[in-house]
Amino acid sequence: MNKSIIIVDDHKLFAQSLQILVNSFDGFHVDHVFKNGEELVKHLEEGPGSPDIVLLDMRMPVMDGMQTMKWLKENHPEQKVLALTVDQEDESIIRMLRLGCRGYLLKDIDPEELEHALNAIDRTGYYSNKTISDALSREERQKKYEELTKREFEFLNLACSEKTYKAIADEMNLSPKTVENYRESLFQKLHVKSRVGLVIYAIKEGLMEV
């Protein structure tokens, strides 16, 4: 049975092209396409059930991706959502992840990456691409997790907030350079490549609540 997909994007041409692409993937089918979060909310309130995955544009009129995620967290916290964005803005993406989003994709990705992302979210609940994280088994992740120092845990917790690195340095009473060293150490230990990767790691390992 095909996994049901809902696309929420206000760019009609992009949404239609995305629908055709997703429908070409084995095991997936787009059931509905909506142009903003308000339409999605209405559908979920009136519809018979939730889709397996929502592909959600972050920037839309009426009700954007952030507002939609806030509603979903309160009303459908188990809903799997993959964010779609034009620009990689760490603060916005981290905010989306904290609201329960399971990953994000830049809109100019290759079709193969989209298919991989859908399968990853369906299979594991999350999607983390190669620009975010290297693949590690759960056993390897647990080993890396046990190697973290108390201060690295403190930094990881703060990195999962919306604070800037300067604000994190001030809160930890450290120099910006020392904070950079903590960041690079965590990147190496956890096999991630960005701050977003740290947040996804923390969520998957239950180190922070969404």
Side-chain angles (χ1 to χ4, degrees), residues 9-23:
D9 195 296
D10 64 310
H11 292 93
K12 190 173 181 179
L13 183 60
F14 175 81
Q16 288 178 343
S17 299
L18 186 59
Q19 179 180 14
I20 293 171
L21 180 59
V22 172
N23 285 340

Side-chain angles (χ1 to χ4, degrees), residues 97-189:
L97 291 170
R98 291 181 65 88
L99 288 170
C101 187
R102 306 303 184 93
Y104 82 98
L105 287 172
L106 295 175
K107 286 189 172 184
D108 63 351
I109 60 159
D110 293 330
E112 294 79 8
E113 187 70 16
L114 172 60
E115 185 174 16
H116 170 69
L118 292 175
N119 279 298
I121 287 187
D122 178 53
R123 185 177 64 256
T124 70
Y126 290 92
Y127 166 68
S128 181
N129 65 31
K130 278 293 184 181
T131 65
I132 295 175
S133 174
D134 288 332
L136 285 177
S137 68
R138 183 167 186 82
E139 182 178 343
E140 289 174 317
R141 290 201 306 270
Q142 180 64 26
K143 182 179 179 181
K144 296 296 182 182
Y145 163 77
E146 292 171 352
E147 293 175 359
L148 302 187
T149 67
K150 183 177 179 180
R151 288 293 264 175
E152 285 173 338
F153 272 117
E154 184 180 353
F155 171 78
L156 178 59
N157 182 61
L158 291 170
C160 290
S161 71
E162 297 165 28
K163 297 179 184 292
T164 64
Y165 283 125
K166 183 180 184 304
I168 291 173
D170 291 341
E171 184 159 340
M172 294 182 71
N173 294 314
L174 298 172
S175 69
K177 180 62 178 177
T178 301
V179 163
E180 286 182 13
N181 291 338
Y182 276 125
R183 181 191 63 194
E184 295 306 315
S185 175
L186 284 178
F187 283 179
Q188 183 175 7
K189 284 186 177 181

Side-chain angles (χ1 to χ4, degrees), residues 58 65-66 69 83 92-101:
M58 289 178 61
M66 202 73 67
M69 282 305 309
S92 296
I93 293 168
I94 289 172
R95 200 173 300 128
M96 291 284 284
L97 291 170
R98 291 181 65 88
L99 288 170
C101 187

Side-chain angles (χ1 to χ4, degrees), residues 8 34-45 56 60-65 67-68 71:
V8 187
F34 301 121
K35 62 178 178 290
N36 56 60
E38 190 175 88
E39 292 187 356
L40 174 65
V41 168
K42 183 178 179 181
H43 170 77
L44 293 177
E45 288 180 332
L56 180 66
M60 297 176 291
V62 183
M63 187 174 184
D64 64 16
Q67 294 169 315
T68 304
W71 185 89

